[in-house]
Amino acid sequence: MNGSVTGLFYGDMGQLVAQLIGVATLIGCIFTLSFVVNLIIDAVVGQRVGAKAELQGLDIPEMGALGYPEFELKAGS
């Protein structure tokens, strides 16, 4: 039974081109959807903590303990 698709090794690039078009379409669609979802999340709740919380660290609020107790941020350094 011979089908209409013979493949790249038999001189037919049609199937490869069709698959590359499918891959490009999926990448474009997923990128666009991810970008829109991230814009909505950023507008509604934000994706980062404030600068003060970033400097203080999120170990205690998130975990209840310091992750690196020997590390200390000193003013002027």
Side-chain angles (χ1 to χ4, degrees):
M1 287 176 83
N2 286 338
S4 61
V5 178
T6 55
L8 181 63
F9 294 127
Y10 296 102
D12 183 16
M13 290 191 58
Q15 184 67 32
L16 179 63
V17 170
Q19 289 179 343
L20 291 175
I21 290 171
V23 167
T25 303
L26 285 172
I27 288 173
C29 179
I30 297 303
F31 173 79
T32 304
L33 287 175
S34 298
F35 189 78
V36 169
V37 167
N38 276 302
L39 282 177
I40 293 169
I41 290 172
D42 194 34
V44 174
V45 292
Q47 295 188 13
R48 291 190 61 130
V49 297
K52 184 178 178 184
E54 191 172 324
L55 287 174
Q56 289 176 345
L58 294 174
D59 293 334
I60 292 178
E62 292 288 328
M63 301 299 194
L66 287 174
Y68 301 98
E70 68 279 358
F71 179 75
E72 190 175 322
L73 186 62
K74 296 181 180 174
S77 60

